Amino acid sequence: MSIYQSTPQALWSGRNTDSLQYWHQAVTCLNSLEFSDQSTEKKLAILGYAGEEGVKRNQGRIGTSKGPMAIRKMMGPMAYHLPKALKIYDLGDVGTEGDDMEASHDLLYQTIKGLLSKKAFPLILGGGHDLAFPHGRAVMEYCMGKGEKLGIINLDAHFDIRPKVDGKGHSGSPFLELATSFPKNFEYLCLGIQSAANTPELLEKANQLRVQWLEMEEFTMDNWTQIREQLDTFCQSMNKIYLSIDLDGFSSSIAPGVSAPSPWGFSTELIAKVLKWIAQSGKLISMDVVELNPKFDQDNITSKLAARCVEFTLRNFFVS
């Protein structure tokens, strides 16, 4: 059994028009992870992580393996506002055979690093948040090889710096793994932290790792000026930014289909401002959206939210 699965072109569907008007008309599905486009023109590479072993290890709700396909289905019919000359490729999904999450991570890491070397912008669709370890590792090594400093911005209710379990990583440990792998280069800003979801030990660990963060009570529209100042201060010293969007940071009233739902969370209005700021900073190098669990979704609202976060960020990144 292969842990790779290509995306059927028919999955990208929507209204048919004579000119490019919708996302499904812009995407070309590839039949392998071998990315041959080495042109210097801007290009977007979509890669799914159909994995949930990390969520299982972290005692979350199973179902995230269906997340990438659900996001694609919601993106297909969306109006297309990116440059018509932009090449968009869908490389398919990396899954997991049995409980061998580490093999999945190795393949994700190798693929993402290859995409970066060929000047493609990686968009990774999850899948459990454990993918932030291979994703972050690939971007970190790529930036270090160019003498550039990488900053990680995570929109999340959780730090995801929990220790490994029996020596194995999981969806709650990716940023600790990155901090351990790159202790001198780990720069991490987490926005939307909920104290009720992070123990005192995790808060202490965050301080030890020099993590910067804003708790949910501060991460509000009324506090946008301070948020913008913190983003500006963090990004000023960075050459590139890796953005991770964990859907469980939203309230379950608008994002019920996640592994770890919460009745509290950040608003779509605020996230739109944050995403626009990051996209237009000129430093964004890659992004992922994680923890979508279609099994618990209602009327595809969480899948649509994920798709809108992606579309809005990319529109402001490629068009600005």
Side-chain angles (χ1 to χ4, degrees):
M1 176 182 174
S2 173
I3 63 174
Y4 168 73
Q5 181 67 50
S6 61
T7 302
Q9 190 69 54
L11 184 75
W12 287 93
S13 62
R15 294 177 183 269
N16 292 315
T17 57
D18 294 333
S19 60
L20 176 54
Q21 299 292 320
Y22 298 98
W23 264 82
H24 72 94
Q25 298 171 305
V27 178
T28 299
C29 293
L30 305 182
N31 293 318
S32 78
L33 294 175
E34 296 298 324
F35 189 74
S36 60
D37 188 339
Q38 300 191 43
S39 68
T40 57
E41 298 177 354
K42 288 184 177 181
K43 44 191 175 283
L44 171 65
I46 301 171
L47 176 64
Y49 173 47
E52 59 188 23
E53 173 63 22
V55 175
K56 181 179 179 181
R57 294 179 186 179
N58 198 33
Q59 302 179 31
R61 304 194 297 183
I62 301 303
T64 53
S65 63
K66 306 296 183 183
M69 287 299 184
I71 299 174
R72 290 182 177 99
K73 288 179 180 178
M74 296 303 108
M75 288 185 67
M78 295 175 66
Y80 184 81
H81 296 285
L82 275 62
K84 287 181 169 54
L86 178 67
K87 300 295 185 182
I88 303 180
Y89 301 99
D90 185 342
L91 278 68
D93 288 344
V94 172
T96 303
E97 184 174 6
D99 61 359
D100 192 1
M101 184 183 79
E102 288 68 28
S104 304
H105 282 193
D106 287 343
L107 187 53
L108 285 166
Y109 159 74
Q110 294 168 10
T111 303
I112 296 169
K113 197 169 183 182
L115 292 173
L116 291 167
S117 70
K118 294 175 180 175
K119 310 305 180 185
F121 182 94
L123 165 63
I124 318 300
L125 308 177
H129 210 170
D130 52 274
L131 79 81
F133 176 52
H135 187 180
R137 178 187 168 202
V139 183
M140 184 77 76
E141 290 185 3
Y142 176 78
C143 288
M144 289 170 61
K146 295 172 67 66
E148 295 181 328
K149 190 174 182 180
L150 177 71
I152 302 170
I153 298 179
N154 181 29
L155 307 180
D156 200 342
H158 310 88
F159 287 116
D160 286 341
I161 53 172
R162 292 180 180 275
K164 292 182 176 182
V165 177
D166 298 327
K168 294 183 177 181
H170 49 81
S171 65
S173 67
F175 298 108
L176 177 62
E177 293 179 81
L178 287 172
T180 302
S181 300
F182 305 97
K184 296 181 179 180
N185 301 87
F186 184 66
E187 301 288 346
Y188 179 38
L189 171 62
C190 194
L191 301 174
I193 286 294
Q194 297 186 27
S195 293
N198 296 271
T199 64
E201 286 185 351
L202 289 175
L203 291 169
E204 181 180 349
K205 188 66 176 179
N207 280 316
Q208 292 173 0
L209 296 174
R210 299 178 294 104
V211 176
Q212 300 179 45
W213 74 88
L214 280 177
E215 296 194 27
M216 191 196 67
E217 292 84 355
E218 302 173 292
F219 195 53
T220 64
M221 282 292 292
D222 291 340
N223 203 30
W224 169 242
T225 299
Q226 179 186 341
I227 296 168
R228 183 180 59 204
E229 289 175 354
Q230 182 147 9
L231 284 168
D232 191 53
T233 300
F234 181 78
C235 292
Q236 275 183 352
S237 61
M238 307 299 163
N239 299 108
K240 299 295 182 183
I241 296 296
Y242 153 40
L243 170 65
S244 189
I245 306 171
D246 190 327
L247 296 167
D248 70 25
F250 292 94
S251 165
S252 56
S253 62
I254 56 175
V258 297
S259 299
S262 170
W264 286 12
F266 37 66
S267 70
T268 54
E269 292 83 4
L270 176 57
I271 291 303
K273 291 182 77 69
V274 172
L275 294 180
K276 184 175 182 178
W277 193 98
I278 295 171
Q280 295 185 348
S281 70
K283 298 186 176 184
L284 187 62
I285 189 172
S286 69
M287 69 175 291
D288 59 47
V289 57
V290 301
E291 296 293 333
L292 173 62
N293 191 328
K295 181 179 179 181
F296 297 95
D297 209 357
Q298 299 172 16
D299 197 26
N300 296 315
I301 188 172
T302 317
S303 300
K304 291 177 181 177
L305 175 62
R308 288 293 293 271
C309 286
V310 168
E311 189 277 336
F312 185 78
T313 304
L314 296 178
R315 173 156 39 97
N316 280 280
F317 175 72
F318 283 106
V319 177
S320 62

PDB file of all heavy atoms in Angstrom, residues 209-234:
ATOM      1  N   LEU A 209      11.191  28.402  26.097  1.00  0.00           N
ATOM      2  CA  LEU A 209      11.502  28.353  24.659  1.00  0.00           C
ATOM      3  C   LEU A 209      11.459  29.737  24.016  1.00  0.00           C
ATOM      4  O   LEU A 209      11.609  29.848  22.801  1.00  0.00           O
ATOM      5  CB  LEU A 209      10.520  27.424  23.950  1.00  0.00           C
ATOM      6  CG  LEU A 209      10.553  25.945  24.358  1.00  0.00           C
ATOM      7  CD1 LEU A 209       9.427  25.175  23.668  1.00  0.00           C
ATOM      8  CD2 LEU A 209      11.907  25.331  24.015  1.00  0.00           C
ATOM      9  N   ARG A 210      11.223  30.762  24.807  1.00  0.00           N
ATOM     10  CA  ARG A 210      11.143  32.138  24.315  1.00  0.00           C
ATOM     11  C   ARG A 210       9.998  32.337  23.317  1.00  0.00           C
ATOM     12  O   ARG A 210      10.101  33.125  22.378  1.00  0.00           O
ATOM     13  CB  ARG A 210      12.463  32.568  23.663  1.00  0.00           C
ATOM     14  CG  ARG A 210      13.669  32.563  24.577  1.00  0.00           C
ATOM     15  CD  ARG A 210      14.948  32.940  23.864  1.00  0.00           C
ATOM     16  NE  ARG A 210      15.328  31.925  22.870  1.00  0.00           N
ATOM     17  CZ  ARG A 210      15.160  32.081  21.575  1.00  0.00           C
ATOM     18  NH1 ARG A 210      14.631  33.203  21.094  1.00  0.00           N
ATOM     19  NH2 ARG A 210      15.543  31.130  20.740  1.00  0.00           N
ATOM     20  N   VAL A 211       8.928  31.590  23.529  1.00  0.00           N
ATOM     21  CA  VAL A 211       7.750  31.731  22.670  1.00  0.00           C
ATOM     22  C   VAL A 211       7.091  33.080  22.945  1.00  0.00           C
ATOM     23  O   VAL A 211       6.989  33.515  24.097  1.00  0.00           O
ATOM     24  CB  VAL A 211       6.740  30.589  22.939  1.00  0.00           C
ATOM     25  CG1 VAL A 211       5.465  30.789  22.105  1.00  0.00           C
ATOM     26  CG2 VAL A 211       7.375  29.237  22.631  1.00  0.00           C
ATOM     27  N   GLN A 212       6.640  33.738  21.906  1.00  0.00           N
ATOM     28  CA  GLN A 212       5.836  34.948  22.056  1.00  0.00           C
ATOM     29  C   GLN A 212       4.386  34.577  21.782  1.00  0.00           C
ATOM     30  O   GLN A 212       4.112  33.758  20.906  1.00  0.00           O
ATOM     31  CB  GLN A 212       6.301  36.027  21.070  1.00  0.00           C
ATOM     32  CG  GLN A 212       7.745  36.444  21.258  1.00  0.00           C
ATOM     33  CD  GLN A 212       8.162  37.500  20.248  1.00  0.00           C
ATOM     34  OE1 GLN A 212       7.436  38.466  20.008  1.00  0.00           O
ATOM     35  NE2 GLN A 212       9.329  37.326  19.653  1.00  0.00           N
ATOM     36  N   TRP A 213       3.465  35.185  22.542  1.00  0.00           N
ATOM     37  CA  TRP A 213       2.070  34.822  22.321  1.00  0.00           C
ATOM     38  C   TRP A 213       1.122  35.903  22.824  1.00  0.00           C
ATOM     39  O   TRP A 213       1.490  36.779  23.600  1.00  0.00           O
ATOM     40  CB  TRP A 213       1.743  33.485  22.972  1.00  0.00           C
ATOM     41  CG  TRP A 213       1.604  33.473  24.463  1.00  0.00           C
ATOM     42  CD1 TRP A 213       0.464  33.715  25.182  1.00  0.00           C
ATOM     43  CD2 TRP A 213       2.615  33.157  25.438  1.00  0.00           C
ATOM     44  NE1 TRP A 213       0.698  33.586  26.537  1.00  0.00           N
ATOM     45  CE2 TRP A 213       2.003  33.239  26.717  1.00  0.00           C
ATOM     46  CE3 TRP A 213       3.961  32.815  25.350  1.00  0.00           C
ATOM     47  CZ2 TRP A 213       2.721  32.989  27.882  1.00  0.00           C
ATOM     48  CZ3 TRP A 213       4.675  32.572  26.509  1.00  0.00           C
ATOM     49  CH2 TRP A 213       4.055  32.659  27.759  1.00  0.00           C
ATOM     50  N   LEU A 214      -0.099  35.809  22.333  1.00  0.00           N
ATOM     51  CA  LEU A 214      -1.217  36.599  22.834  1.00  0.00           C
ATOM     52  C   LEU A 214      -2.340  35.642  23.203  1.00  0.00           C
ATOM     53  O   LEU A 214      -2.693  34.761  22.409  1.00  0.00           O
ATOM     54  CB  LEU A 214      -1.718  37.596  21.783  1.00  0.00           C
ATOM     55  CG  LEU A 214      -0.933  38.896  21.599  1.00  0.00           C
ATOM     56  CD1 LEU A 214      -1.554  39.706  20.465  1.00  0.00           C
ATOM     57  CD2 LEU A 214      -0.916  39.716  22.890  1.00  0.00           C
ATOM     58  N   GLU A 215      -2.878  35.815  24.394  1.00  0.00           N
ATOM     59  CA  GLU A 215      -3.998  34.974  24.788  1.00  0.00           C
ATOM     60  C   GLU A 215      -5.284  35.470  24.134  1.00  0.00           C
ATOM     61  O   GLU A 215      -5.375  36.606  23.673  1.00  0.00           O
ATOM     62  CB  GLU A 215      -4.125  34.966  26.317  1.00  0.00           C
ATOM     63  CG  GLU A 215      -2.907  34.345  26.987  1.00  0.00           C
ATOM     64  CD  GLU A 215      -3.144  34.019  28.448  1.00  0.00           C
ATOM     65  OE1 GLU A 215      -4.307  33.776  28.833  1.00  0.00           O
ATOM     66  OE2 GLU A 215      -2.164  34.009  29.205  1.00  0.00           O
ATOM     67  N   MET A 216      -6.262  34.598  24.101  1.00  0.00           N
ATOM     68  CA  MET A 216      -7.490  34.888  23.380  1.00  0.00           C
ATOM     69  C   MET A 216      -8.162  36.169  23.865  1.00  0.00           C
ATOM     70  O   MET A 216      -8.741  36.920  23.076  1.00  0.00           O
ATOM     71  CB  MET A 216      -8.464  33.716  23.508  1.00  0.00           C
ATOM     72  CG  MET A 216      -9.668  33.791  22.582  1.00  0.00           C
ATOM     73  SD  MET A 216     -10.963  32.663  23.090  1.00  0.00           S
ATOM     74  CE  MET A 216     -11.468  33.382  24.645  1.00  0.00           C
ATOM     75  N   GLU A 217      -8.077  36.431  25.168  1.00  0.00           N
ATOM     76  CA  GLU A 217      -8.705  37.632  25.717  1.00  0.00           C
ATOM     77  C   GLU A 217      -8.088  38.918  25.149  1.00  0.00           C
ATOM     78  O   GLU A 217      -8.741  39.959  25.086  1.00  0.00           O
ATOM     79  CB  GLU A 217      -8.590  37.642  27.248  1.00  0.00           C
ATOM     80  CG  GLU A 217      -9.410  36.559  27.943  1.00  0.00           C
ATOM     81  CD  GLU A 217      -8.716  35.218  28.006  1.00  0.00           C
ATOM     82  OE1 GLU A 217      -7.618  35.080  27.416  1.00  0.00           O
ATOM     83  OE2 GLU A 217      -9.250  34.295  28.649  1.00  0.00           O
ATOM     84  N   GLU A 218      -6.826  38.834  24.742  1.00  0.00           N
ATOM     85  CA  GLU A 218      -6.142  39.981  24.137  1.00  0.00           C
ATOM     86  C   GLU A 218      -6.246  39.967  22.613  1.00  0.00           C
ATOM     87  O   GLU A 218      -6.054  41.001  21.970  1.00  0.00           O
ATOM     88  CB  GLU A 218      -4.660  39.964  24.520  1.00  0.00           C
ATOM     89  CG  GLU A 218      -4.379  39.983  26.002  1.00  0.00           C
ATOM     90  CD  GLU A 218      -2.907  39.785  26.288  1.00  0.00           C
ATOM     91  OE1 GLU A 218      -2.387  38.680  26.039  1.00  0.00           O
ATOM     92  OE2 GLU A 218      -2.269  40.741  26.753  1.00  0.00           O
ATOM     93  N   PHE A 219      -6.543  38.811  22.076  1.00  0.00           N
ATOM     94  CA  PHE A 219      -6.573  38.624  20.628  1.00  0.00           C
ATOM     95  C   PHE A 219      -7.986  38.913  20.113  1.00  0.00           C
ATOM     96  O   PHE A 219      -8.731  38.016  19.719  1.00  0.00           O
ATOM     97  CB  PHE A 219      -6.128  37.200  20.284  1.00  0.00           C
ATOM     98  CG  PHE A 219      -5.781  36.978  18.840  1.00  0.00           C
ATOM     99  CD1 PHE A 219      -4.870  37.794  18.196  1.00  0.00           C
ATOM    100  CD2 PHE A 219      -6.364  35.945  18.135  1.00  0.00           C
ATOM    101  CE1 PHE A 219      -4.545  37.581  16.858  1.00  0.00           C
ATOM    102  CE2 PHE A 219      -6.057  35.728  16.806  1.00  0.00           C
ATOM    103  CZ  PHE A 219      -5.138  36.542  16.163  1.00  0.00           C
ATOM    104  N   THR A 220      -8.341  40.199  20.126  1.00  0.00           N
ATOM    105  CA  THR A 220      -9.678  40.642  19.754  1.00  0.00           C
ATOM    106  C   THR A 220      -9.593  41.849  18.828  1.00  0.00           C
ATOM    107  O   THR A 220      -8.564  42.534  18.752  1.00  0.00           O
ATOM    108  CB  THR A 220     -10.496  41.041  20.997  1.00  0.00           C
ATOM    109  OG1 THR A 220      -9.856  42.183  21.620  1.00  0.00           O
ATOM    110  CG2 THR A 220     -10.578  39.892  22.006  1.00  0.00           C
ATOM    111  N   MET A 221     -10.691  42.147  18.147  1.00  0.00           N
ATOM    112  CA  MET A 221     -10.734  43.294  17.244  1.00  0.00           C
ATOM    113  C   MET A 221     -10.436  44.600  17.976  1.00  0.00           C
ATOM    114  O   MET A 221      -9.775  45.485  17.442  1.00  0.00           O
ATOM    115  CB  MET A 221     -12.092  43.364  16.552  1.00  0.00           C
ATOM    116  CG  MET A 221     -12.257  42.373  15.408  1.00  0.00           C
ATOM    117  SD  MET A 221     -11.197  42.770  13.989  1.00  0.00           S
ATOM    118  CE  MET A 221     -11.956  44.293  13.422  1.00  0.00           C
ATOM    119  N   ASP A 222     -10.929  44.715  19.199  1.00  0.00           N
ATOM    120  CA  ASP A 222     -10.706  45.944  19.974  1.00  0.00           C
ATOM    121  C   ASP A 222      -9.223  46.181  20.250  1.00  0.00           C
ATOM    122  O   ASP A 222      -8.817  47.312  20.530  1.00  0.00           O
ATOM    123  CB  ASP A 222     -11.473  45.884  21.297  1.00  0.00           C
ATOM    124  CG  ASP A 222     -12.978  45.967  21.110  1.00  0.00           C
ATOM    125  OD1 ASP A 222     -13.410  46.437  20.033  1.00  0.00           O
ATOM    126  OD2 ASP A 222     -13.713  45.564  22.028  1.00  0.00           O
ATOM    127  N   ASN A 223      -8.441  45.115  20.173  1.00  0.00           N
ATOM    128  CA  ASN A 223      -7.021  45.204  20.494  1.00  0.00           C
ATOM    129  C   ASN A 223      -6.150  45.134  19.238  1.00  0.00           C
ATOM    130  O   ASN A 223      -4.968  44.785  19.324  1.00  0.00           O
ATOM    131  CB  ASN A 223      -6.639  44.072  21.461  1.00  0.00           C
ATOM    132  CG  ASN A 223      -5.407  44.386  22.273  1.00  0.00           C
ATOM    133  OD1 ASN A 223      -5.135  45.542  22.560  1.00  0.00           O
ATOM    134  ND2 ASN A 223      -4.662  43.357  22.633  1.00  0.00           N
ATOM    135  N   TRP A 224      -6.708  45.454  18.080  1.00  0.00           N
ATOM    136  CA  TRP A 224      -5.988  45.299  16.815  1.00  0.00           C
ATOM    137  C   TRP A 224      -4.688  46.102  16.787  1.00  0.00           C
ATOM    138  O   TRP A 224      -3.681  45.634  16.248  1.00  0.00           O
ATOM    139  CB  TRP A 224      -6.865  45.687  15.640  1.00  0.00           C
ATOM    140  CG  TRP A 224      -6.106  45.804  14.339  1.00  0.00           C
ATOM    141  CD1 TRP A 224      -5.948  46.903  13.567  1.00  0.00           C
ATOM    142  CD2 TRP A 224      -5.375  44.755  13.688  1.00  0.00           C
ATOM    143  NE1 TRP A 224      -5.164  46.615  12.479  1.00  0.00           N
ATOM    144  CE2 TRP A 224      -4.791  45.311  12.527  1.00  0.00           C
ATOM    145  CE3 TRP A 224      -5.138  43.407  13.988  1.00  0.00           C
ATOM    146  CZ2 TRP A 224      -4.014  44.568  11.647  1.00  0.00           C
ATOM    147  CZ3 TRP A 224      -4.336  42.662  13.116  1.00  0.00           C
ATOM    148  CH2 TRP A 224      -3.792  43.236  11.964  1.00  0.00           C
ATOM    149  N   THR A 225      -4.680  47.287  17.357  1.00  0.00           N
ATOM    150  CA  THR A 225      -3.467  48.104  17.326  1.00  0.00           C
ATOM    151  C   THR A 225      -2.301  47.378  17.989  1.00  0.00           C
ATOM    152  O   THR A 225      -1.185  47.333  17.453  1.00  0.00           O
ATOM    153  CB  THR A 225      -3.701  49.458  18.026  1.00  0.00           C
ATOM    154  OG1 THR A 225      -4.733  50.166  17.334  1.00  0.00           O
ATOM    155  CG2 THR A 225      -2.433  50.293  18.020  1.00  0.00           C
ATOM    156  N   GLN A 226      -2.545  46.783  19.164  1.00  0.00           N
ATOM    157  CA  GLN A 226      -1.477  46.043  19.850  1.00  0.00           C
ATOM    158  C   GLN A 226      -1.084  44.798  19.060  1.00  0.00           C
ATOM    159  O   GLN A 226       0.102  44.460  18.971  1.00  0.00           O
ATOM    160  CB  GLN A 226      -1.921  45.630  21.256  1.00  0.00           C
ATOM    161  CG  GLN A 226      -0.849  44.831  22.015  1.00  0.00           C
ATOM    162  CD  GLN A 226      -1.330  44.285  23.357  1.00  0.00           C
ATOM    163  OE1 GLN A 226      -2.321  44.755  23.900  1.00  0.00           O
ATOM    164  NE2 GLN A 226      -0.630  43.292  23.870  1.00  0.00           N
ATOM    165  N   ILE A 227      -2.069  44.118  18.489  1.00  0.00           N
ATOM    166  CA  ILE A 227      -1.786  42.915  17.694  1.00  0.00           C
ATOM    167  C   ILE A 227      -0.909  43.272  16.501  1.00  0.00           C
ATOM    168  O   ILE A 227       0.079  42.588  16.217  1.00  0.00           O
ATOM    169  CB  ILE A 227      -3.100  42.265  17.223  1.00  0.00           C
ATOM    170  CG1 ILE A 227      -3.912  41.769  18.424  1.00  0.00           C
ATOM    171  CG2 ILE A 227      -2.820  41.108  16.258  1.00  0.00           C
ATOM    172  CD1 ILE A 227      -5.328  41.388  18.094  1.00  0.00           C
ATOM    173  N   ARG A 228      -1.259  44.349  15.828  1.00  0.00           N
ATOM    174  CA  ARG A 228      -0.480  44.773  14.657  1.00  0.00           C
ATOM    175  C   ARG A 228       0.939  45.135  15.070  1.00  0.00           C
ATOM    176  O   ARG A 228       1.907  44.810  14.357  1.00  0.00           O
ATOM    177  CB  ARG A 228      -1.167  45.965  14.000  1.00  0.00           C
ATOM    178  CG  ARG A 228      -0.492  46.449  12.713  1.00  0.00           C
ATOM    179  CD  ARG A 228      -1.247  47.629  12.166  1.00  0.00           C
ATOM    180  NE  ARG A 228      -1.283  48.718  13.136  1.00  0.00           N
ATOM    181  CZ  ARG A 228      -2.216  49.672  13.150  1.00  0.00           C
ATOM    182  NH1 ARG A 228      -3.211  49.664  12.277  1.00  0.00           N
ATOM    183  NH2 ARG A 228      -2.172  50.640  14.052  1.00  0.00           N
ATOM    184  N   GLU A 229       1.084  45.787  16.207  1.00  0.00           N
ATOM    185  CA  GLU A 229       2.419  46.151  16.692  1.00  0.00           C
ATOM    186  C   GLU A 229       3.244  44.902  17.009  1.00  0.00           C
ATOM    187  O   GLU A 229       4.448  44.853  16.718  1.00  0.00           O
ATOM    188  CB  GLU A 229       2.305  47.039  17.926  1.00  0.00           C
ATOM    189  CG  GLU A 229       1.785  48.441  17.627  1.00  0.00           C
ATOM    190  CD  GLU A 229       1.562  49.271  18.878  1.00  0.00           C
ATOM    191  OE1 GLU A 229       1.700  48.698  20.001  1.00  0.00           O
ATOM    192  OE2 GLU A 229       1.242  50.471  18.766  1.00  0.00           O
ATOM    193  N   GLN A 230       2.588  43.875  17.594  1.00  0.00           N
ATOM    194  CA  GLN A 230       3.330  42.659  17.912  1.00  0.00           C
ATOM    195  C   GLN A 230       3.731  41.924  16.630  1.00  0.00           C
ATOM    196  O   GLN A 230       4.851  41.401  16.531  1.00  0.00           O
ATOM    197  CB  GLN A 230       2.504  41.739  18.807  1.00  0.00           C
ATOM    198  CG  GLN A 230       3.250  40.465  19.218  1.00  0.00           C
ATOM    199  CD  GLN A 230       2.880  39.979  20.599  1.00  0.00           C
ATOM    200  OE1 GLN A 230       1.949  40.473  21.217  1.00  0.00           O
ATOM    201  NE2 GLN A 230       3.616  38.990  21.091  1.00  0.00           N
ATOM    202  N   LEU A 231       2.832  41.892  15.654  1.00  0.00           N
ATOM    203  CA  LEU A 231       3.168  41.289  14.366  1.00  0.00           C
ATOM    204  C   LEU A 231       4.338  42.025  13.727  1.00  0.00           C
ATOM    205  O   LEU A 231       5.275  41.405  13.206  1.00  0.00           O
ATOM    206  CB  LEU A 231       1.958  41.318  13.433  1.00  0.00           C
ATOM    207  CG  LEU A 231       0.846  40.300  13.701  1.00  0.00           C
ATOM    208  CD1 LEU A 231      -0.404  40.657  12.890  1.00  0.00           C
ATOM    209  CD2 LEU A 231       1.320  38.898  13.356  1.00  0.00           C
ATOM    210  N   ASP A 232       4.295  43.342  13.774  1.00  0.00           N
ATOM    211  CA  ASP A 232       5.339  44.145  13.152  1.00  0.00           C
ATOM    212  C   ASP A 232       6.677  43.925  13.847  1.00  0.00           C
ATOM    213  O   ASP A 232       7.713  43.744  13.191  1.00  0.00           O
ATOM    214  CB  ASP A 232       4.946  45.624  13.206  1.00  0.00           C
ATOM    215  CG  ASP A 232       5.843  46.490  12.340  1.00  0.00           C
ATOM    216  OD1 ASP A 232       5.992  46.170  11.147  1.00  0.00           O
ATOM    217  OD2 ASP A 232       6.391  47.470  12.851  1.00  0.00           O
ATOM    218  N   THR A 233       6.675  43.920  15.173  1.00  0.00           N
ATOM    219  CA  THR A 233       7.910  43.708  15.928  1.00  0.00           C
ATOM    220  C   THR A 233       8.494  42.327  15.648  1.00  0.00           C
ATOM    221  O   THR A 233       9.710  42.180  15.440  1.00  0.00           O
ATOM    222  CB  THR A 233       7.644  43.852  17.443  1.00  0.00           C
ATOM    223  OG1 THR A 233       7.156  45.173  17.708  1.00  0.00           O
ATOM    224  CG2 THR A 233       8.911  43.599  18.238  1.00  0.00           C
ATOM    225  N   PHE A 234       7.624  41.309  15.611  1.00  0.00           N
ATOM    226  CA  PHE A 234       8.084  39.935  15.367  1.00  0.00           C
ATOM    227  C   PHE A 234       8.663  39.795  13.962  1.00  0.00           C
ATOM    228  O   PHE A 234       9.730  39.207  13.765  1.00  0.00           O
ATOM    229  CB  PHE A 234       6.927  38.957  15.570  1.00  0.00           C
ATOM    230  CG  PHE A 234       7.300  37.510  15.374  1.00  0.00           C
ATOM    231  CD1 PHE A 234       7.979  36.811  16.358  1.00  0.00           C
ATOM    232  CD2 PHE A 234       6.966  36.840  14.207  1.00  0.00           C
ATOM    233  CE1 PHE A 234       8.324  35.482  16.185  1.00  0.00           C
ATOM    234  CE2 PHE A 234       7.296  35.510  14.019  1.00  0.00           C
ATOM    235  CZ  PHE A 234       7.981  34.828  15.012  1.00  0.00           C
TER     236      PHE A 234
END
